């Protein structure tokens, strides 16, 4: 069924806004059309439209006599009329928007990407700082991972031959890897305290790297450095005419000093211990444990499709790349690809379960899926969360645990299907592809099993 | 919070005879001035007439809802007139008007609750059975009770 949205607003925002809303509601009810109306009266916006609803909507009716923010409807069918027209002829207005052409799948992909951007902008607090660090670290992981993988092309021991091309590739990749933790820590601190946080953060990260406290040490160093710098900025007062030396001298010196000493005296040993334990456990992990880790990481990737839980699993796997542990990364990427891929497969094998728009969206989801953009599944999940999300979690958990059991290893933190063709970027590449395929099929089967037929298909059946 | 708290008994005129939209607004404004809802009737009326210029508040179905947000208003208020003879209000559907709600909103910090109530009234007006009640009420008490239902 086509979903419609509307916004009503009038100059005083007392009467017409609400009459138009009521008129549209009634007309939609009479036609059995799904319609949600946001009223922007003098009480403020009520019954506000959410991003998800806008994404799913066939069209938006703007019955407004004032300026309303239309940016959020970009890429959608929009019809703009005066508020009185919605009061006079609500039913004609609804007919007009129902006749509008469906927007294409390309625009849909664009919307998903815009959505990702907006989500990034909304992040707050701890999560925002962490993700800032992770996003600056990722290019290093990609470059390092691919260079090391490339050095193996010359034979698995080729890099041991000093002065050979394989050796240089390995060294360059290794340099990129050794910068991962310092950059992670530096840009967490930068996110917290701005420029004065960067130096202490980088140094703290470097110290964590040296004692092999890994990404966990890097995260702690980053937050420590950031908040120490922030506190100094706030509470350390210098005479007015000396204020200029605060950001260039006082904060970097004291923040770095304090961070460094805290790292040595308090943080490094226990965290290096924890990291060592974690690494040993992950490396020696086989059978049931590997299966469970894959299951959990996989499920986390699907449960909120790009939200905090998904990003936590992702950050965990990326962080482990710094410790040269590649299995969880493989599990996480496989599990992040299956939600959109599985939905695409479901739209192909069971057309009746989906509206025409969803079948179109399925094609776009397949492209997003092979590119490891889990967010491609969001519109489907938003439309029918109770049936879709469990299906996605099941498929992703299967893909994640199979990737772990097959001992697939992924040296780069992104790339989707395309990294499978880069030599040595993925170990056990055929089994890995199989894990993704099985996860996709499981997702699709669950979706088909749980979802009901779409209203269109029901109507067609009733006619037979 | 009930509609009856802003539509006071003294604000209701049943089967009153007026010859134009302006006299109708005048009569209803006087009622709200008496109860202290409107402190400066001239300033308030300006706001109401200005709103009418922007577009008629005759919403069709024989109903008009002139309204004004003005510093001449002390507290949110509502007045109602049922006309004995229909008058022209340049309504959206071109038909003359029989029921008139005049709404007064203060310029500053109009209480949210009041605005909520008025928005509910606006929604109710879109329903035919509600409009019929306005036409059938035999006393102001009966009318106010119908609004609160």
């Amino acid at each position: 069924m086509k979903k419609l949205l509307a916004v009503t607003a009038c100059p005083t925002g007392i009467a017409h806004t609400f009459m138009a809303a009521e008129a549209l509601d009634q007309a939609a009810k009479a036609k059995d059309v799904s319609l949600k109306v946001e009223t922007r009266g003098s009480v403020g916006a009520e019954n506000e439209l959410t991003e998800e609803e806008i994404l799913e909507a066939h069209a938006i009716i703007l019955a407004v006599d004032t300026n309303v923010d239309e940016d959020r409807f970009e890429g959608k069918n929009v019809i703009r009329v005066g508020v009185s027209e919605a009061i006079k002829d609500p039913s004609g207005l609804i007919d007009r928007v129902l006749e509008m052409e469906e927007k294409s799948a390309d625009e849909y992909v664009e919307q998903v990407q815009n959505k990702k951007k907006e989500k990034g902008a909304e992040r707050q607090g701890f999560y925002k700082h962490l993700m800032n660090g992770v996003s600056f670290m990722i290019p290093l992981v990609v470059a390092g991972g691919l260079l090391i993988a490339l050095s193996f092309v010359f034979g698995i021991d080729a890099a041991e031959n000093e002065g050979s091309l394989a050796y240089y590739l390995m060294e360059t990749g290794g340099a990129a890897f050794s910068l991962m933790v310092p950059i992670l820590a530096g840009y967490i601190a930068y996110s917290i305290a701005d420029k004065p946080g960067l130096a202490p953060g980088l140094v703290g990260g470097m110290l964590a790297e040296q004692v092999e406290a890994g990404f966990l040490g890097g995260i702690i160093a980053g937050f420590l450095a950031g908040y120490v710098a922030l506190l100094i900025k706030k509470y350390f007062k210098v005479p007015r005419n000396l204020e200029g030396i605060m950001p260039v001298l006082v904060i970097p010196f004291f923040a770095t000093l304090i961070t460094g000493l805290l790292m040595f005296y308090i943080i490094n040993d226990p965290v290096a211990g924890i990291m060592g334990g974690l690494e040993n456990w992950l490396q020696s992990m086989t059978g049931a444990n590997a299966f469970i880790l894959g299951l959990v990481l996989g499920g986390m990737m699907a449960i909120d499709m790009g939200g905090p839980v998904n990003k936590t699993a992702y950050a965990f796997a990326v962080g482990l790349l710094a410790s040269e542990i590649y299995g969880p990364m493989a599990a996480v990427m496989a599990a992040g690809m299956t939600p959109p891929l599985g939905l695409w497969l479901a739209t192909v094998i069971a057309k009746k379960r989906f509206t025409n728009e969803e079948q179109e969206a399925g094609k776009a989801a397949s492209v997003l899926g092979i590119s490891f953009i889990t967010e491609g599944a969001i519109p489907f999940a938003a439309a029918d969360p109770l049936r879709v999300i469990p299906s996605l979690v099941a498929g992703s958990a299967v893909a994640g645990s199979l990737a772990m059991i097959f001992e697939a290893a992924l040296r780069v933190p992104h790339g989707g299907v395309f990294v499978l063709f880069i030599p040595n970027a993925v170990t056990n590449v055929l089994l890995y592809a199989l894990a993704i395929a099985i996860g996709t099929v499981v997702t699709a089967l669950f979706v088909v099993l749980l979802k009901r037929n779409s209203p269109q298909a029901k109507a067609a059946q009733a006619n037979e | 919070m009930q509609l009856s708290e802003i539509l006071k008994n003294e604000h209701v005129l049943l089967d009153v005879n007026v010859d134009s939209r302006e006299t109708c607004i005048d009569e209803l404004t006087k009622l709200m001035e008496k109860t202290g809802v409107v402190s400066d009737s001239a300033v308030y009326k300006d706001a109401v007439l200005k709103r009418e210029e922007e577009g008629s508040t005759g919403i069709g179905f024989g109903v008009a809802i002139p309204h004004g947000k003005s510093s001449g208003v002390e507290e949110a208020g509502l007045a109602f007139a049922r006309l004995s003879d229909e008058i022209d209000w340049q309504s959206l559907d071109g038909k003359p008007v029989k029921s008139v709600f005049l709404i007064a909103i203060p310029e500053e910090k109009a209480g949210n609750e009041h605005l909520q109530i008025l928005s509910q009234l606006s929604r109710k007006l879109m329903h035919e059975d509600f409009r019929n009640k306005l036409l059938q009420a035999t006393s102001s008490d009966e009318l106010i009770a119908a609004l609160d239902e």
Side-chain angles (χ1 to χ4, degrees):
Chain A
M1 189 166 74
K2 287 176 181 171
K3 291 189 176 171
L4 302 183
L5 300 175
V7 178
T8 62
C10 62
T12 22
I14 290 161
H16 287 72
T17 303
F18 301 97
M19 289 189 293
E22 189 69 18
L24 287 169
D25 273 341
Q26 279 190 62
K29 217 181 272 171
K31 287 178 185 298
D32 206 20
V33 175
S34 149
L35 171 76
K36 179 177 171 185
V37 187
E38 172 180 297
T39 53
R40 304 189 74 86
S42 46
V43 216
E46 288 176 297
N47 203 21
E48 267 183 281
L49 309 177
T50 67
E51 272 174 42
E52 259 97 5
E53 285 165 345
I54 294 169
L55 207 62
E56 281 171 45
H58 167 70
I60 294 114
I61 301 171
L62 296 177
V64 295
D65 289 339
T66 57
N67 282 326
V68 298
D69 171 25
E70 287 180 44
D71 289 351
R72 57 189 174 144
F73 306 127
E74 219 168 303
K76 305 294 298 188
N77 281 321
V78 173
I79 188 167
R80 204 192 147 109
V81 296
V83 87
S84 54
E85 189 163 346
I87 298 175
K88 226 173 12 185
D89 186 15
S91 156
L93 205 51
I94 288 175
D95 286 341
R96 265 165 71 195
V97 294
L98 284 176
E99 279 161 18
M100 291 172 113
E101 295 261 320
E102 201 52 55
K103 291 282 179 174
S104 72
D106 282 349
E107 282 163 89
Y108 165 88
V109 173
E110 207 173 282
Q111 283 159 32
V112 169
Q113 267 151 7
N114 283 341
K115 229 173 126 53
K116 281 185 71 167
K117 251 188 249 159
E118 279 165 31
K119 252 195 186 154
E122 274 168 25
R123 285 180 192 140
Q124 291 296 324
F126 179 85
Y127 183 63
K128 177 188 152 196
H129 304 317
L130 179 62
M131 281 304 141
N132 188 55
V134 170
S135 71
F136 277 97
M137 175 175 76
I138 282 176
L140 289 167
V141 188
V142 175
L146 287 178
L147 285 166
I148 291 170
L150 214 54
S151 82
F152 291 134
V153 173
F154 300 93
I156 200 74
D157 297 324
E160 282 169 24
N161 187 1
E162 260 183 61
S164 67
L165 177 59
Y167 172 80
Y168 292 137
L169 287 172
M170 177 64 94
E171 286 295 299
T172 314
F177 262 28
S178 62
L179 279 168
M180 278 171 61
V181 173
I183 290 295
L184 172 67
Y187 280 91
I188 289 174
Y190 182 83
S191 171
I192 297 168
D194 224 335
K195 227 182 266 168
L198 188 59
L202 286 170
V203 173
M206 197 73 186
L207 296 175
E209 169 75 16
Q210 280 165 4
V211 297
E212 297 187 340
F215 80 98
L216 208 54
I219 291 171
I220 295 174
F223 278 98
L224 197 64
Y227 284 112
V228 166
L230 202 62
L231 285 177
I232 295 176
K233 198 155 108 185
K234 216 168 166 183
Y235 294 110
F236 195 90
K237 294 281 174 244
V238 290
R240 223 156 184 211
N241 48 1
L242 289 178
E243 252 172 26
I245 65 165
M246 277 295 282
V248 292
L249 200 144
V250 177
I251 302 178
F253 171 66
F254 283 105
T256 307
L257 173 78
I258 295 170
T259 306
L261 292 182
L262 283 173
M263 289 303 287
F264 275 114
Y265 282 113
I266 300 174
I267 312 285
N268 272 351
D269 286 348
V271 176
I274 293 171
M275 258 331 269
L278 183 66
E279 282 165 24
N280 283 337
W281 180 66
L282 287 170
Q283 269 158 354
S284 63
M285 196 165 54
T286 49
N289 284 341
F291 178 81
I292 290 168
L293 182 69
L295 206 68
V296 172
L297 286 176
M300 287 171 75
M301 289 304 287
I303 204 150
D304 59 355
M305 296 153 286
V309 178
N310 164 294
K311 290 285 188 273
T312 305
Y314 181 70
F316 174 74
V318 174
L320 286 174
L321 295 182
S323 306
E324 292 171 26
I325 293 172
Y326 306 115
M329 191 68 244
V332 158
M333 189 168 91
M337 290 167 67
T338 57
L341 284 178
L343 284 164
W344 159 74
L345 185 60
T347 61
V348 172
I349 58 177
K351 289 199 163 60
K352 279 185 181 169
R353 297 283 195 274
F354 299 93
T355 63
N356 290 340
E357 299 92 80
E358 282 177 325
Q359 287 169 29
E360 279 301 307
K363 290 174 198 158
S366 70
V367 178
L368 296 171
I370 60 172
S371 320
F372 181 35
I373 298 173
T374 319
E375 283 88 341
I378 289 178
F380 290 89
D384 191 2
L386 292 180
R387 296 196 182 86
V388 171
I389 292 176
S391 311
L392 303 183
V393 170
S396 290
V398 168
S401 52
L402 284 179
M404 291 296 290
I405 289 182
F406 293 158
E407 293 181 4
L410 176 62
R411 290 166 186 280
V412 286
H414 217 290
V417 161
F418 308 105
V419 291
L420 302 189
F421 303 109
I422 299 171
N424 296 315
V426 190
T427 343
N428 290 337
V429 61
L430 288 179
L431 283 173
Y432 186 54
L434 183 66
I436 296 173
I438 294 175
T440 301
V441 171
V442 170
T443 305
L445 289 181
F446 267 95
V447 169
V448 173
L449 213 63
L450 292 178
K451 241 178 122 61
R452 308 253 166 88
N453 281 351
S454 73
Q456 283 164 2
K458 276 183 196 154
Q461 267 172 346
N463 288 338
E464 270 164 20
Chain B
M1 185 86 194
Q2 301 271 303
L3 244 175
S4 46
E5 285 180 42
I6 52 173
L7 180 63
K8 295 177 183 156
N9 227 318
E10 302 91 315
H11 290 176
V12 178
L13 288 175
L14 288 185
D15 307 313
V16 63
N17 194 1
V18 295
D19 54 4
S20 72
R21 144 164 117 172
E22 207 168 333
T23 26
C24 180
I25 292 172
D26 268 345
E27 290 297 322
L28 288 172
T29 305
K30 269 185 216 155
L31 297 181
M32 288 202 279
E33 199 174 16
K34 263 184 220 157
T35 55
V37 167
V38 170
S39 55
D40 188 334
S41 58
V43 172
Y44 168 63
K45 231 183 83 182
D46 270 355
V48 174
L49 292 177
K50 204 169 153 226
R51 173 65 188 84
E52 289 296 327
E53 274 166 32
E54 279 173 28
S56 168
T57 59
I59 56 167
F61 332 104
V63 179
I65 45 155
H67 51 273
K69 191 172 178 182
S70 158
S71 58
V73 178
E74 280 301 302
E75 54 179 48
L78 182 63
F80 175 76
R82 190 167 72 200
L83 312 179
S84 54
D85 296 311
E86 297 176 335
I87 60 168
D88 177 46
W89 207 287
Q90 291 156 23
S91 295
L92 294 176
D93 60 358
K95 291 187 184 139
V97 159
K98 178 93 175 158
S99 310
V100 179
F101 282 97
L102 180 65
I103 301 172
I105 303 286
E107 188 70 61
E108 297 298 322
K109 59 174 170 53
N112 256 359
E113 277 181 77
H114 292 131
L115 297 176
Q116 292 281 9
I117 285 172
L118 292 171
S119 69
Q120 278 161 27
L121 171 69
S122 307
R123 282 179 180 273
K124 283 182 183 168
L125 282 172
M126 300 312 291
H127 295 263
E128 198 181 349
D129 50 342
F130 178 76
R131 294 195 297 266
N132 286 338
K133 277 185 197 158
L134 299 178
L135 298 177
Q136 285 153 7
T138 52
S139 69
S140 52
D141 286 335
E142 199 179 307
L143 185 114
I144 291 167
L147 289 179
D148 267 340
E149 254 169 38

